[in-house]
Each structure stands twice: as structure tokens, then as C-alpha cells.
Amino acid sequence: MPVNLEDLFGLKDKVAVVTGGGGVLGGAIAEGLAQVGARIAVCDIFEEKSVEVAVRCRAAGGEGRPYKMDVLSTDSIQENCDAIYKDFGRVDILLNGAGGNQKQATTSPELPFFNLPLDALERVISLNLFGGAILPSQVFGRKMVENPDGGVVINVSSMNALRPLTRIPGYSAAKAAVSNFTQWLAVHFAQEYNTKLRVNAIAPGFFLTEQNRFLLTDKETGNLTPRGQQIIDHTPMAEFGQPDDLIGATIWLASPASRFVTGIVVPIDGGFSAYAGV
């Protein structure tokens, strides 16, 4: 039977909530979803950034509305959920894109592992696991399970979940938990609520963002640090990813093209996870 590829990969009129939507990666994904017809609720704790991305979504030919959301506050998530349902009528896609690392939770010659402050580690783990996956899935998922046609939750994991990197113990542990939670929630939603509500994750490799730039490039010269060079040497495609590299896989996971796919984590890493180093 012939397949209409436009329908298979299209997201026309689907409502997508993107948390962390004001960030570099979340913003690129939001804009990409808008280009294929999705209506985007851009959520970010920095209101001006969510406004900027919403404008880009509209410029791309889609619809975008900004919302100020603190993903570590259930009350904030609930208030925004209520507003989004009032504005859009439903939610079909939840992209959990909030996350990041902190310098205070990163080991260095000046800050050894033994001295990492608990509050910094707690903040990183809370942001990436609770705010970055669990809490929005609880709030939006409560309503999404009622969708007759189901829907999609897409979490953002990381290469750190597959191979924990040196110096960032909190971030690595949190992202490993995000991958595990993705599998758990996929089974839970399908068995307990709605077999058409799918849960998957993407695992970006190495992308230059504000959170990791200080680790990968020299602030003074702009050249790669030894750590940055190690990453490039271990990436068969020999480059950092570009934000737009996340769009295709996200569209696939959000669209009917992945109708029978749930509980997986898709690496987008230039081959990093496949290379043994020899």
C-alpha cells in the first residue's frame, strides 16, 4: 500500500510543548517542529528567550507562543499547562528539553570531587532529571493520556548516559537516570493508560552550548581545549554537532513515522558511541 510521506512525517496542527525552548538546542528543535506544521508552546524560565524563539517559529511559517516556566516548580508547570490547554485546546507532543550543567558541579584542579558542594550536585540532578523529565511528564502526561489518538513524550538524554564523562558526575548520573526513566515511562503509559501515548528520548553527542563551552574551548583564544580535542578525536565524523542536527530525529519520533516505536534512546552523536578508539 503506497505511503504518503507528507502525512507520515508531517505534524500539521499538532500542538507541541517544548520546555527549555529558549535554549540553543531546544530553540532549534522548536523552530524545526514549527516548519513542518506544529503549533509550538515555547516554555523557558527566561521569558525573553521564549519570546525570541516563538518569534522565530512564526517567521518559519508556523505558530509559536511564549510561556515563562520554571520546570523545578510543579505549580509553575501546572499554571503553564492550564494556559497552554486554554490557548491551544490540547497537547500532542511534550519535548522535555530543559537541562544543563553547572561549573560548581564540575571537578577541576581547583575543585576536586571530594569538595563538590552538595547543593550544586542537587541542582544539576534536579534540573536534568526532575525538571528535565519527570515533573513535566507528570503534569502534562495526566492530560495527554486522555488523547484518543495518543501522543508523544520526547526526553533529552545525553552521551553521558551511555558513557559517563570525566569531570561531570552529577550531569552524567542525571542523564543516565533520564534514559532509564524514558524506558520506564514508556511501559507505564502503555500498560496503564494509553497504548498510543509513546515515550522516547534523543541523546545528543557533543554540541557547543553555553553550559559546556568553558570545558571545550579556550575563552581567550577560541581554540579547542585538550578535552575538546579529545572529543573530536573520538568522533568519527570529526566535528561538533549543529543544533539543526537534532531536528530530523525529533520529527521522526514525534510523527506517525515512528508509530510503533516507544521506549528507545536515539544517539545523535556523529558516531561517538560507536567508536572504541582503535
Side-chain angles (χ1 to χ4, degrees), residues 91-147:
V91 171
D92 304 294
I93 302 158
L94 171 63
L95 188 289
N96 284 316
N101 190 35
Q102 288 189 347
K103 192 171 184 178
Q104 296 86 345
T106 303
T107 64
S108 67
E110 298 75 31
L111 185 61
F113 166 72
F114 308 105
N115 293 15
L116 290 177
L118 176 60
D119 61 344
L121 291 170
E122 287 179 330
R123 172 73 181 179
V124 169
I125 292 173
S126 293
L127 176 59
N128 289 280
L129 176 58
F130 296 108
I134 295 178
L135 299 183
S137 296
Q138 286 182 314
V139 174
F140 285 94
R142 186 187 297 273
K143 298 182 75 70
M144 292 176 71
V145 295
E146 301 173 359
N147 292 353

Side-chain angles (χ1 to χ4, degrees), residues 1-266:
M1 183 177 179
V3 175
N4 185 318
L5 292 181
E6 186 172 334
D7 291 338
L8 194 63
F9 288 93
L11 296 173
K12 184 173 175 56
D13 295 328
K14 296 293 185 182
V15 177
V17 173
V18 181
T19 73
V24 174
L25 303 185
I29 291 172
E31 190 174 354
L33 293 175
Q35 288 180 29
V36 292
R39 305 166 65 200
I40 313 297
V42 183
C43 304
D44 201 280
I45 194 169
F46 299 108
E47 188 172 14
E48 67 278 8
K49 291 187 176 181
S50 64
V51 169
E52 177 187 330
V53 173
V55 170
R56 282 164 40 196
C57 289
R58 295 194 292 270
E63 180 179 351
R65 297 190 186 190
Y67 299 85
K68 182 178 181 179
M69 178 189 291
D70 179 359
V71 294
L72 290 175
S73 165
T74 302
D75 289 342
S76 177
I77 300 170
Q78 186 63 63
E79 290 171 6
N80 280 279
C81 179
D82 293 342
I84 290 166
Y85 269 84
K86 181 178 179 181
D87 293 340
F88 290 95
R90 68 179 194 277
V91 171
D92 304 294
I93 302 158
L94 171 63
L95 188 289
N96 284 316
N101 190 35
Q102 288 189 347
K103 192 171 184 178
Q104 296 86 345
T106 303
T107 64
S108 67
E110 298 75 31
L111 185 61
F113 166 72
F114 308 105
N115 293 15
L116 290 177
L118 176 60
D119 61 344
L121 291 170
E122 287 179 330
R123 172 73 181 179
V124 169
I125 292 173
S126 293
L127 176 59
N128 289 280
L129 176 58
F130 296 108
I134 295 178
L135 299 183
S137 296
Q138 286 182 314
V139 174
F140 285 94
R142 186 187 297 273
K143 298 182 75 70
M144 292 176 71
V145 295
E146 301 173 359
N147 292 353
D149 297 326
V152 183
V153 176
I154 302 174
N155 295 321
V156 178
S157 183
S158 170
M159 276 300 96
N160 294 274
L162 299 175
R163 295 185 177 184
L165 303 182
T166 59
R167 299 185 61 187
I168 47 176
Y171 185 79
S172 295
K175 288 302 188 181
V178 168
S179 290
N180 185 279
F181 173 70
T182 297
Q183 294 177 311
W184 182 89
L185 192 63
V187 174
H188 184 69
F189 275 171
Q191 289 188 335
E192 302 289 337
Y193 297 102
N194 188 335
T195 58
K196 295 180 180 179
L197 181 55
R198 302 180 292 109
V199 185
N200 295 293
I202 57 173
F206 297 91
F207 294 70
L208 282 178
T209 65
E210 294 309 310
Q211 286 84 9
N212 67 15
R213 190 176 299 274
F214 74 95
L215 283 172
L216 305 181
T217 61
D218 185 277
K219 185 178 180 179
E220 301 298 327
T221 66
N223 296 329
L224 291 175
T225 62
R227 184 182 182 86
Q229 189 60 55
Q230 280 184 313
I231 290 169
I232 294 300
D233 291 342
H234 200 90
T235 302
M237 293 184 72
E239 61 177 308
F240 293 117
Q242 301 295 321
D244 288 354
D245 293 331
L246 301 178
I247 295 172
T250 303
I251 290 173
W252 171 61
L253 290 174
S255 73
S258 61
R259 183 197 71 83
F260 201 51
V261 177
T262 194
I264 70 165
V265 180
V266 181

